[in-house]
């Protein structure tokens, strides 16, 4: 059995690439469908769904690199002559399908990879090279764009694959020739064939088909924004930091962010709806200098691809506990350092919390910055995930705000 291609046979390397690619594709399609249709109402279901999607993504990246190597190898090899070259229409269709497959094997996993790189959280690729890509921002709109590409181009791949399989079966059972047999391992008796001449028209046709598919996917992406984008726009419009009229300092702007660890990767998000009632005497040099009460709208959380799951009963349980409240006394420590000593009430559970923060005051404007960690288990969040394999125990909270002193 030849190692390299000849005018009549495929070599061992080409055959190995072909069947490895086939195995990956025939694994990826059912794996993706199963993962897509699994429920995720509970933490355990979400973990199972994420694991299957991680496997799907990891195998998809494998397919991408296998496809690139296969194409590079093919470019260095003779392309065996068609056994039915005298059937012009059939030969044109067969070669067009081959070019469509080559394009699909690169663009389908690449679009999925770009979608993943633009998405915050959920189902990491199982490898040590990170989850991001250069020049690809974490963005709902970018993720939606490439997600739509992946959805459409996957359909092109599926149709092309079915045509390829149908053609192979026709050759095997109707034409009864060696087209399929010569792609399998072993020797096949094929008489000498005229030197292969392959037209450029099939690759042109495949390029046109793919250009239409990509254009259609792009139009679809722009004309039908994702729900997460709509929600984010609504969040920015309707759930902004509220300046409470109580207290002697009013918040003008700020962020309330959190970072969790999901499947070993950091995932950051923020609450867009919250207000703070602040009574504070900046002249106190030591000890009790004021109070603060922060009320957070749980539904305003944006946490990447797992926002909806975070609202569920196993996590924040937003339906039954729509707000969280942090109430604390402010203690002045000196040198611009302070502690807010109080309690955080979340999911109906009240837990003591000390929030250290720095404060810079110029005229009547105060700029505050704070970072603190808490344990999700203290609030019965993710109790059905008793270890850190899926979701880490520690949750980092970052608060930054600018407040203006009100007139007495």
């Amino acid at each position: 059995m030849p190692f390299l291609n000849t005018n009549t046979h495929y070599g061992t390397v080409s055959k190995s690439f072909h069947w490895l690619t086939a195995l990956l594709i025939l694994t990826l399609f059912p794996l993706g469908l199963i993962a897509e249709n699994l429920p995720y109402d509970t933490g355990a279901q979400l973990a199972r769904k994420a694991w299957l999607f991680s496997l799907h993504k990891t195998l998809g990246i494998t397919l991408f690199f296998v496809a690139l190597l296969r194409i590079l190898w093919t470019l260095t090899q003779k392309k065996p002559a068609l056994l039915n070259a005298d059937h012009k229409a059939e030969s044109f269709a067969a070669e067009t399908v081959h070019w469509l497959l080559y394009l699909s094997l690169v663009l389908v996993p690449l679009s999925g990879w770009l979608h993943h790189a633009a998405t915050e959280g959920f189902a990491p690729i199982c490898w040590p090279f990170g989850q991001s890509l250069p020049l690809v921002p974490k963005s709902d709109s970018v993720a939606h764009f490439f997600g739509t590409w992946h959805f459409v181009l996957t359909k092109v791949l599926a149709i092309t694959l079915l045509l390829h399989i149908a053609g192979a079966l026709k050759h095997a059972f109707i034409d009864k020739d060696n087209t399929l047999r010569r792609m399998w391992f072993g020797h096949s008796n094929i008489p000498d064939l005229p030197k292969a001449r392959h037209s450029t028209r099939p690759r042109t046709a495949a390029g046109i088909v793919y250009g239409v598919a990509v254009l259609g996917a792009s139009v679809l992406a722009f004309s039908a924004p994702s729900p997460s984008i709509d929600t984010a726009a609504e969040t920015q419009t309707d759930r902004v930091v509220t300046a409470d009229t109580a207290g002697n300092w009013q918040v003008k702007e700020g962020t309330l962010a959190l970072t969790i660890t999901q499947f070993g990767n950091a995932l950051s998000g923020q609450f867009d709806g919250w207000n703070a009632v602040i009574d504070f005497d900046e002249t106190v040099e030591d000890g009790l200098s004021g109070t603060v009460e922060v009320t957070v709208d749980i539904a305003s959380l944006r946490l990447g691809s797992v926002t909806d799951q975070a609202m569920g009963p196993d996590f924040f349980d937003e339906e039954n506990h729509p707000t969280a409240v942090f109430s604390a006394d402010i203690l002045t420590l000196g040198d611009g350092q302070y502690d807010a000593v109080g309690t955080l009430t979340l999911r109906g559970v009240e837990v003591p919390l000390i929030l250290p923060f720095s404060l810079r005051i110029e005229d009547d404007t105060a700029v505050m910055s704070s970072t603190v960690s808490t344990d999700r288990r203290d609030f019965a969040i993710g109790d059905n995930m008793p270890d850190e394999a899926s979701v880490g125990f520690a949750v980092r909270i970052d608060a930054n705000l600018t407040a203006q002193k009100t007139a007495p």
Side-chain angles (χ1 to χ4, degrees):
M1 183 166 57
F3 183 76
L4 305 177
N5 292 359
T6 67
N7 190 55
T8 57
H9 291 81
Y10 288 98
T12 304
V13 176
S14 294
K15 292 178 181 180
S16 299
F17 272 129
H18 177 274
W19 292 109
L20 176 58
T21 301
L23 177 62
L24 287 168
I25 293 175
L26 295 176
T27 302
L28 282 163
F29 267 111
L31 190 60
L33 288 172
I34 291 170
E36 182 69 31
N37 290 289
L38 280 178
Y40 49 88
D41 299 324
T42 68
Q45 290 174 337
L46 178 61
R48 187 185 311 114
K49 189 181 184 80
W51 184 85
L52 287 175
F53 265 122
S54 287
L55 182 59
H56 176 80
K57 292 177 181 181
T58 304
L59 291 178
I61 297 298
T62 303
L63 174 62
F64 173 75
F65 287 112
V66 168
L68 287 181
L69 290 173
R70 179 183 178 182
I71 291 170
L72 290 173
W73 176 257
T74 299
L75 292 175
T76 68
Q77 296 296 296
K78 292 181 180 179
K79 186 172 183 181
L82 295 172
L83 299 183
N84 60 343
D86 53 327
H87 298 165
K88 301 297 184 183
E90 186 175 330
S91 298
F92 173 79
E95 294 208 285
T96 301
V97 167
H98 272 100
W99 281 105
L100 285 171
L101 279 174
Y102 282 140
L103 289 169
S104 295
L105 293 175
V106 173
L107 293 178
V108 170
L110 178 60
S111 61
W113 192 2
L114 290 168
H115 171 264
H116 172 84
T119 304
E120 285 276 11
F122 190 73
I125 300 168
C126 301
W127 68 352
F129 304 112
Q131 305 299 315
S132 300
L133 282 173
L135 306 179
V136 180
K138 297 293 184 183
S139 162
D140 284 340
S141 58
V142 174
H144 173 63
F145 181 82
F146 287 115
T148 305
W149 268 36
H150 190 64
F151 175 81
V152 172
L153 299 186
T154 298
K155 306 305 178 286
V156 176
L157 173 58
I159 293 170
T160 306
L161 183 63
L162 289 174
L163 290 173
H164 182 66
I165 293 172
L169 294 176
K170 174 185 178 294
H171 282 290
F173 297 106
I174 297 177
D175 299 339
K176 299 185 185 299
D177 61 26
N178 287 303
T179 298
L180 179 59
R181 189 176 299 115
R182 71 173 175 174
M183 183 51 79
W184 190 245
F185 299 95
H187 182 72
S188 55
N189 295 316
I190 300 175
D192 289 337
L193 296 169
K195 186 176 179 180
R197 293 182 178 179
H198 299 282
S199 171
T200 60
R201 289 183 298 167
R203 73 184 70 172
T204 301
I208 292 172
V209 170
Y210 243 90
V212 171
V214 168
L215 178 61
S218 300
V219 170
L220 180 62
F222 285 120
S223 62
S226 71
S228 61
I229 296 173
D230 291 339
T231 301
E234 175 189 329
T235 295
Q236 292 294 335
T237 303
D238 299 330
R239 289 174 177 154
V240 297
V241 179
T242 303
D244 202 297
T245 56
N248 65 339
W249 290 81
Q250 287 190 358
V251 177
K252 296 302 181 181
E253 61 181 4
T255 59
L256 181 59
L258 60 79
T259 302
I260 65 172
T261 301
Q262 183 197 38
F263 301 107
N265 296 284
L267 171 60
S268 297
Q270 71 176 48
F271 294 95
D272 289 312
W274 54 276
N275 66 64
V277 179
I278 304 171
D279 276 302
F280 175 67
D281 184 354
E282 72 278 18
T283 64
V284 175
E285 296 182 357
D286 184 44
L288 182 64
S289 52
T291 62
V292 60
E293 181 171 286
V294 180
T295 303
V296 181
D297 177 8
I298 296 298
S300 72
L301 174 65
R302 289 185 287 126
L303 193 60
S305 60
V306 297
T307 299
D308 291 341
Q309 291 74 38
M311 297 296 106
D314 288 334
F315 299 98
F316 282 102
D317 194 11
E318 182 270 336
E319 183 176 350
N320 295 309
H321 304 284
T323 60
V325 178
F326 175 61
S327 298
D329 293 328
I330 300 174
L331 302 181
T332 300
L333 305 179
D335 295 326
Q337 301 301 310
Y338 300 81
D339 278 346
V341 181
T343 59
L344 174 60
T345 303
L346 177 62
R347 280 178 53 104
V349 179
E350 187 177 288
V351 175
L353 180 66
I354 299 176
L355 183 75
F357 65 93
S358 61
L359 190 65
R360 187 179 74 255
I361 301 175
E362 294 181 4
D363 298 328
D364 290 333
T365 299
V367 178
M368 171 267 194
S369 179
S370 173
T371 297
V372 69
S373 289
T374 186
D375 193 316
R376 65 173 174 84
R377 296 171 297 177
D378 293 340
F379 303 94
I381 292 178
D383 273 353
N384 59 341
M385 296 180 174
D387 57 46
E388 297 189 275
S390 298
V391 179
F393 297 146
V395 178
R396 193 183 79 201
I397 301 170
D398 293 288
N400 298 276
L401 62 85
T402 299
Q404 191 80 33
K405 189 174 183 179
T406 59

